[in-house]
Amino acid sequence: LCFGLAAPVVASPPEPFTSVDDRLREAGLIFEGVVVSVRYAKSRPTTEQPDVRPYTFVTFEVKDVFKGKIEGERFTLRFLGGPIEGDTFMRISDVPLFDIGDHDILLVQDNVHSPCPLAGCADGRFRLIDGLVVNELGERLQRHDNDLKLGPQVKLREVDTHNMATFLLEREERDEFLA
């Protein structure tokens, strides 16, 4: 597995996590959907943006809209990152990875100009897996008093593996650093 950058990319650092309720308020669109397509494309050079950047386009079959409005039964989100050449893949930290069949609730903030269109980037995705609602790390979403909170982490294969273009990415936790 090889990660690389074709050109330097400047992206805002992820906002510090405040609360699930804050992310819900920030989002202009909240919907439930199932990933039906993940495709990759590169930008075309322009005067304003001369370097070519890879993008990932994730299309969802919309199951329900909780906030905002979606025209039609499908909705596509655009994320910065994707294959560059061969086995080189540009990966932006905190940008979630999607696989066909993922069932999610998405909190969308800016689907046009942002490297990550979700409120708080990875904080704006909740996965529906085997009756659980979890974030990108597998932390369970739970109601505590009148607030939504993240609870204990659950080990789920769907959270720890992703198909990225032509290869499989697996999350591995280690206690020691590699030299």
Side-chain angles (χ1 to χ4, degrees), residues 36-97:
V36 294
S37 170
V38 177
R39 65 181 181 81
Y40 305 101
K42 292 181 183 163
S43 65
R44 293 192 180 121
T46 65
T47 306
E48 299 82 30
Q49 187 62 55
D51 58 320
V52 174
R53 293 184 177 178
Y55 287 94
T56 301
F57 295 87
V58 183
T59 301
F60 294 85
E61 179 182 314
V62 177
K63 299 292 184 188
D64 204 353
V65 178
F66 305 106
K67 182 179 180 182
K69 189 174 183 180
I70 293 178
E71 300 293 330
E73 298 174 359
R74 293 192 173 194
F75 190 76
T76 300
L77 295 173
R78 182 189 79 161
F79 297 87
L80 181 60
I84 298 173
E85 290 180 21
D87 287 342
T88 304
F89 194 100
M90 185 175 96
R91 169 93 165 88
I92 307 299
S93 64
D94 203 42
V95 171
L97 301 172

Side-chain angles (χ1 to χ4, degrees), residues 58-160:
V58 183
T59 301
F60 294 85
E61 179 182 314
V62 177
K63 299 292 184 188
D64 204 353
V65 178
F66 305 106
K67 182 179 180 182
K69 189 174 183 180
I70 293 178
E71 300 293 330
E73 298 174 359
R74 293 192 173 194
F75 190 76
T76 300
L77 295 173
R78 182 189 79 161
F79 297 87
L80 181 60
I84 298 173
E85 290 180 21
D87 287 342
T88 304
F89 194 100
M90 185 175 96
R91 169 93 165 88
I92 307 299
S93 64
D94 203 42
V95 171
L97 301 172
F98 297 86
D99 294 316
I100 292 175
D102 286 352
H103 189 176
D104 300 329
I105 295 176
L106 292 305
L107 287 58
V108 181
Q109 189 172 25
D110 179 6
N111 196 26
V112 178
H113 301 99
S114 175
C116 180
L118 304 177
C121 205
D123 293 342
R125 179 191 192 193
F126 292 96
R127 305 190 59 192
L128 305 171
I129 303 171
D130 296 330
L132 300 174
V133 179
V134 298
N135 68 1
E136 278 297 290
L137 301 174
E139 296 168 322
R140 293 181 67 176
L141 184 64
Q142 356 184 81
R143 183 163 293 284
H144 180 66
D145 296 327
N146 287 326
D147 295 324
L148 292 171
K149 303 277 185 194
L150 294 174
Q153 187 176 30
V154 180
K155 283 297 273 180
L156 298 166
R157 182 190 59 76
E158 296 89 344
V159 171
D160 292 336

